[in-house]
Amino acid sequence: MIWGRAEMGAKDLALGAVGSPMGGRDLVGLVAKIGDGDGVPGLAVAVGEVAWRLVRLRPELLSLVLFLAALWAVARGRYRWLGFLAAVYTLSYTAFHAFVGLCFILFFFFGWVRRRWEPGLALYPTLGAGLGLVIHPHFP
């Protein structure tokens, strides 16, 4: 693929430079198979940062899947699920504060924008992470 040509397609331009070992054309086909090209899993695979992480450590893959599940739970308003996901995240990945931090950022953002503060968005992930720390096998 030659960069800068006028006849380059939008998908080639968007997905050709993702930096994955598969290359842009294979990734276009993969995105088309997963969710017909417009679903969240297809978008997650198509983004260069996520595609690059697919060749890295397995705990990071689980971390990204749990982040997507957390965003789903936030979008649906199921904050108790965030507590469960925070506990699983804490048990499976060392940077549990990233999950709790994401929930707090969303708590402050939604509270500021919507002028409606939902304490479950901050409370349940904090309790879930705390529970995950307490039941972790390497807890002192």
Side-chain angles (χ1 to χ4, degrees), residues 1 3 8-18 24-25 27-29 31-32 36-38:
M1 178 183 321
W3 292 102
M8 184 184 308
K11 285 186 179 181
D12 290 337
L13 182 62
L15 299 176
V18 294
R25 296 245 180 233
L27 201 54
V28 170
V31 172
D36 294 327
D38 58 2

Side-chain angles (χ1 to χ4, degrees), residues 5 18-19 30-31 33-34 38 41 49 56 62 69 84 93 116 123-124 129 136:
R5 292 182 49 183
V18 294
L30 183 62
V31 172
K33 288 179 186 175
I34 301 174
D38 58 2
E49 181 67 22
R56 295 190 61 194
L62 180 61
F84 171 75
Y93 197 60
R116 190 181 75 211
L123 179 66
Y124 288 117
H136 196 278

Side-chain angles (χ1 to χ4, degrees), residues 25-124:
R25 296 245 180 233
D26 294 335
L27 201 54
V28 170
L30 183 62
V31 172
K33 288 179 186 175
I34 301 174
D36 294 327
D38 58 2
V40 172
L43 179 64
V45 172
V47 175
E49 181 67 22
V50 175
W52 180 74
R53 287 180 182 241
L54 289 175
V55 296
R56 295 190 61 194
L57 302 172
R58 280 180 257 155
E60 286 184 2
L61 294 177
L62 180 61
S63 168
L64 293 173
V65 169
L66 289 174
F67 268 136
L68 285 174
L71 291 176
W72 171 84
V74 169
R76 299 285 186 213
R78 298 184 178 175
Y79 301 135
R80 290 184 181 159
W81 273 100
L82 284 176
F84 171 75
L85 290 170
V88 171
Y89 194 88
T90 303
L91 290 171
S92 64
Y93 197 60
T94 57
F96 69 92
H97 57 277
F99 190 96
V100 176
L102 172 72
C103 293
F104 269 93
I105 288 171
L106 291 174
F107 169 72
F108 286 119
F109 178 74
F110 290 152
W112 182 54
V113 170
R114 297 177 183 168
R115 302 284 189 237
R116 190 181 75 211
W117 299 88
E118 300 183 19
L121 184 55
L123 179 66
Y124 288 117

Side-chain angles (χ1 to χ4, degrees), residues 119-139:
L121 184 55
L123 179 66
Y124 288 117
T126 305
L127 292 175
L131 177 66
L133 284 173
V134 168
I135 63 174
H136 196 278
H138 297 155
F139 184 70

